[in-house]
Amino acid sequence: MPRVKAEPKKCIKSNLQQPPNSWVFVLKGETLEQSEQYTGTGTPDIVNLRHPNTGEAAVFLFSSANNSVQEILSFAEGKRSWFIEESVKSDGKMHLSTPIDPIFLVLPYLRKHCNSQAIPLDQLLRDDEFPQMERLLKCSGLKYLTMVADRKGDEEINAYKYNEEKTLAWLQKKTERVAEILKQKKIHVLNGAASATFVESSRNENVNNDAYLKHAHGIVSEYLMEDLSDKLLKHLNLSEDTTNTILKRKSAGSLIQPEAKVPKLDEERTPPSNVLDLSKPTLKSVKPPIQTSKEKSRSKAATGSKSITHFFKKS
Amino acid sequence: MFEARLVSSSTLKKVLDAIKDLLNEASFDCSDTGIQLQAMDSSHVSLVSLSLRSDGFDKYRCDRNLTMGMNLASMTKILKCANNDDIVTIKAQDDADSVTFVFESKKQEKISDYEMKLMNLDQEHLGIPETDFSCIIHMPSGEFARICRDLSQFGESVIISCTKEGVRFSSSGDIGSANIKLAQTNNIDKEEESVSIDLQEPVTLTFACQYLNSFTKATPLSSRVSLSMSANVPLVVEYDIPDLGHIRYYLAPKIEEDEN
């Protein structure tokens, strides 16, 4: 998915009476400006939707007219606070939003419910857990839903049936475009460190193409269920084991990726439990409780025994 | 308001000695039926369950159920301040954050009180199922303590094997091996010293010596101990506290290494 770089406009929602409720949010200016053309009452809205990779709740931003959706990434490093006017906000998190193709959000629903039957889109997107899912209906991006599904029946009914072949072709295009952008920006995806000014000879280009494609597949996979990601990998004719090593290398060599977005790096390291809440797992440093020598020897004596909780149920 | 009075502080000292080796802190659950304590050691292999009945106390009053989380090291320090024949009273308000220990000397000429801060311990209670044990061994508690102490010199674990001939404790390690066999003795004259085995089927289980040694800290509480065993369930070591209640230790067996 191409990430369009635009001049970010800093928008600080600060509420001095209730500092804990404020966020530091960097978002593209046009997201806010749209509200001027729009005659309705809505403002950009932050809602919970089902994340296409994890299936769990994640935070997304709808534009005022619901016609575009952005994902919100939060970036936090341990010791940081913000100065906002004359006050200090102790939560040093920074939130960024980037547009996301709504088809990614719809895809899990399609795959789950529309494998054998066509379902009208408005029924498909009814999710009791995430009622806001219905707002996706107005997203302009959904007119391309035929890229991943076949429309059945009357156009008015707007019913779709999932088509895996089409989906994989669509994902392939997405992946190739991401790879292209990576290449354009000269993002280092190979193993080992390299100087940012290092010019590679053209001989390596073929090898590099594969590496870029693999890296791009990794980025796209963050928005796909695991099985679909594997299928995409096969579709792209990339072998799985090398991908794993690349991923490993990626995280090991993450510091030398000069232009990679910082939240992305975090995402790679954290397990995909909740992709958007990046700060928590990295900040947690579990301090082992201090053990006395007696406790140590006792825990040594305890080796080879099952825990007593194994025998007695918690009441 | 909670108030519990014991004629002799030595009982409370012994109870504390019996649990403080395994536990650093524990919550005492007080209700109108008495005081209960249930806690696991830090390695979660053993469980201590203490029960003191309200009728065993000289005076007992508990208006509302109350859980008192106590640091056992601090409690030991306080009880060291009491003479063995002092009368001890434990007092706490209904939603108190501290508990008071009052020690009165026999002739009432000296009364001291000590207040201790309570802790917030979030301990889970485990439901202990009723088990029909394959064998139950009743033996003198001193004898059991001696066996555990002797065998712990040889190895880290003790194999307890109970057959209808008797019970055998064995251990082996770098210096060699040790076996202690006790036969059933039904000595009516000296019931205190008898070994009795109530056997349904033979059992052999392995346990960590160090835990058994910690359990034997309860030896001063009672002259008798009972060991209940069944295959693949925790061992129960029970000491009766005369006229007051009991203390039970549960210990998970070691997983047999040669078990495939």
Side-chain angles (χ1 to χ4, degrees):
Chain A
M1 181 181 31
R3 282 162 187 266
V4 187
K5 207 174 182 185
E7 198 60 32
K9 178 180 166 189
K10 202 163 184 185
C11 156
I12 301 170
K13 269 168 60 184
S14 73
N15 186 339
L16 290 176
Q17 272 85 43
Q18 288 171 296
N21 272 339
S22 59
W23 279 12
V24 174
F25 206 139
V26 180
L27 74 160
K28 253 172 91 180
E30 61 186 54
T31 321
L32 290 173
E33 280 155 18
Q34 269 170 354
S35 57
E36 287 161 23
Q37 302 153 8
Y38 173 62
T39 48
T41 51
T43 48
D45 214 355
I46 291 168
V47 297
N48 273 345
L49 297 180
R50 197 183 286 282
H51 193 272
N53 173 268
T54 60
E56 282 166 37
V59 190
F60 289 85
L61 176 82
F62 272 109
S63 67
S64 43
N66 284 347
N67 54 8
S68 78
V69 61
Q70 304 202 359
E71 62 169 333
I72 297 177
L73 302 172
S74 71
F75 170 59
E77 39 181 27
K79 310 267 185 276
R80 191 170 56 179
S81 304
W82 293 101
F83 276 116
I84 299 173
E85 287 166 358
E86 287 182 7
S87 65
V88 176
K89 180 170 165 44
S90 61
D91 177 10
K93 269 190 205 165
M94 180 162 72
H95 300 269
L96 301 153
S97 74
T98 49
I100 181 172
D101 192 330
I103 293 176
F104 278 108
L105 297 174
V106 179
L107 205 52
Y109 290 86
L110 271 176
R111 275 165 57 81
K112 198 170 167 197
H113 303 292
C114 303
N115 252 327
S116 51
Q117 53 183 11
I119 294 181
L121 197 57
D122 53 339
Q123 287 177 23
L124 182 66
L125 294 182
R126 218 169 278 156
D127 188 331
D128 291 338
E129 236 180 293
F130 299 99
Q132 306 281 9
M133 212 63 203
E134 279 181 65
R135 293 171 74 157
L136 280 176
L137 282 174
K138 289 189 184 150
C139 279
S140 49
L142 278 195
K143 62 180 175 233
Y144 299 109
L145 201 61
T146 44
M147 304 285 277
V148 297
D150 300 318
R151 179 180 297 166
K152 300 276 172 180
D154 207 20
E155 199 170 318
E156 265 178 41
I157 303 171
N158 216 13
Y160 289 91
K161 186 165 176 252
Y162 175 63
N163 183 331
E164 187 152 281
E165 249 171 75
K166 273 175 151 185
T167 306
L168 287 173
W170 175 74
L171 285 171
Q172 184 178 12
K173 271 185 213 150
K174 287 265 183 203
T175 314
E176 281 163 2
R177 283 176 70 182
V178 176
E180 228 164 89
I181 297 281
L182 288 172
K183 220 184 285 181
Q184 263 175 33
K185 304 213 168 198
K186 294 200 171 67
I187 289 171
H188 182 78
V189 295
L190 277 178
N191 52 329
S195 159
T197 54
F198 175 67
V199 181
E200 278 180 280
S201 67
S202 53
R203 258 189 307 165
N204 291 336
E205 211 164 288
N206 269 341
V207 185
N208 272 357
N209 268 345
D210 261 9
Y212 276 120
L213 217 50
K214 273 175 200 161
H215 193 100
H217 169 260
I219 293 176
V220 173
S221 292
E222 280 163 21
Y223 302 95
L224 299 177
M225 303 297 263
E226 209 166 301
D227 56 330
L228 190 57
S229 157
D230 291 344
K231 277 180 193 157
L232 176 60
L233 198 66
K234 275 194 202 116
H235 188 75
L236 293 169
N237 288 326
L238 300 170
S239 54
E240 197 170 355
D241 49 337
T242 48
T243 317
N244 284 339
T245 55
I246 290 273
L247 277 175
K248 230 185 276 166
R249 284 172 198 145
K250 253 197 305 187
S251 53
S254 52
L255 285 176
I256 47 94
Q257 292 181 318
E259 279 189 82
K261 288 192 173 122
V262 184
K264 193 85 336 189
L265 295 179
D266 272 356
E267 271 178 20
E268 281 156 14
R269 281 191 221 109
T270 49
S273 58
N274 191 348
V275 177
L276 291 186
D277 198 3
L278 304 165
S279 54
K280 273 183 193 161
T282 46
L283 286 180
K284 224 184 246 171
S285 64
V286 183
K287 247 191 207 165
I290 303 152
Q291 281 192 318
T292 62
S293 58
K294 196 170 81 183
E295 277 169 358
K296 263 185 217 153
S297 75
R298 194 184 301 133
S299 69
K300 196 172 152 246
T303 51
S305 302
K306 276 181 193 162
S307 164
I308 199 95
T309 51
H310 182 86
F311 300 99
F312 302 141
K313 292 203 181 66
K314 280 173 188 143
S315 55
Chain B
M1 174 86 182
F2 170 77
E3 198 175 331
R5 188 174 136 115
L6 266 180
V7 180
S8 154
S9 76
S10 70
T11 314
L12 193 60
K13 285 184 180 192
K14 286 177 194 165
V15 167
L16 187 58
D17 283 339
I19 60 172
K20 76 171 178 6
D21 200 47
L22 279 171
L23 311 171
N24 297 326
E25 60 256 329
S27 19
F28 292 76
D29 299 321
C30 310
S31 64
D32 56 355
T33 54
I35 302 175
Q36 313 281 332
L37 177 154
Q38 195 201 70
M40 283 183 282
D41 75 288
S42 56
S43 302
H44 290 202
V45 169
S46 68
L47 181 104
V48 183
S49 162
L50 169 75
S51 166
L52 305 174
R53 292 188 309 270
S54 57
D55 55 34
F57 289 88
D58 186 33
K59 187 181 162 194
Y60 190 92
R61 175 183 166 191
C62 182
D63 298 343
R64 200 177 291 174
N65 287 4
L66 177 75
T67 299
M68 298 191 288
M70 297 196 204
N71 181 317
L72 297 182
S74 315
M75 192 177 165
T76 310
K77 282 178 188 164
I78 289 174
L79 281 170
K80 273 195 183 140
C81 304
N83 287 320
N84 276 343
D85 53 357
D86 279 357
I87 298 164
V88 58
T89 310
I90 309 169
K91 281 186 194 169
Q93 295 302 319
D94 274 341
D95 47 359
D97 54 2
S98 67
V99 60
T100 309
F101 293 89
V102 183
F103 305 129
E104 297 163 51
S105 69
K106 268 266 176 306
K107 287 175 191 161
Q108 302 278 325
E109 78 272 12
K110 179 181 162 194
I111 296 174
S112 39
D113 61 277
Y114 298 86
E115 193 180 293
M116 183 175 82
K117 290 196 187 86
L118 292 175
M119 307 167 78
N120 257 329
L121 303 171
D122 45 337
Q123 281 175 331
E124 293 161 297
H125 275 257
L126 298 176
I128 299 168
E130 290 280 322
T131 312
D132 290 325
F133 288 98
S134 306
C135 76
I136 300 171
I137 306 157
H138 293 274
M139 63 189 284
S141 61
E143 188 63 49
F144 178 62
R146 178 71 194 263
I147 289 170
C148 293
R149 198 190 69 199
D150 290 352
L151 289 186
S152 61
Q153 304 180 86
F154 286 85
E156 283 170 2
S157 48
V158 175
I159 301 166
I160 306 178
S161 118
C162 192
T163 58
K164 60 177 189 292
E165 279 81 43
V167 55
R168 199 181 64 173
F169 300 85
S170 52
S171 175
S172 63
D174 294 339
I175 56 169
S177 63
N179 282 293
I180 297 168
K181 207 174 159 195
L182 293 180
Q184 226 179 136
T185 54
N186 281 328
N187 195 336
I188 301 158
D189 300 334
K190 289 182 180 171
E191 212 177 314
E192 291 287 281
E193 288 169 26
S194 69
V195 174
S196 74
I197 299 168
D198 184 358
L199 185 87
Q200 307 299 323
E201 56 182 302
V203 192
T204 302
L205 288 172
T206 311
F207 301 99
C209 258
Q210 199 184 354
Y211 280 92
L212 296 179
N213 272 327
S214 297
F215 299 167
T216 58
K217 299 283 189 272
T219 305
L221 280 171
S222 171
S223 60
R224 303 285 292 164
V225 62
S226 77
L227 314 177
S228 312
M229 300 198 295
S230 268
N232 293 321
V233 300
L235 161 81
V236 186
V237 180
E238 179 172 345
Y239 293 87
D240 257 326
I241 307 169
D243 304 325
L244 188 59
H246 62 254
I247 181 162
R248 284 188 192 134
Y249 301 94
Y250 296 84
L251 177 61
K254 290 223 173 200
I255 300 151
E256 298 293 330
E257 273 158 33
D258 51 20
E259 196 177 29
N260 289 318

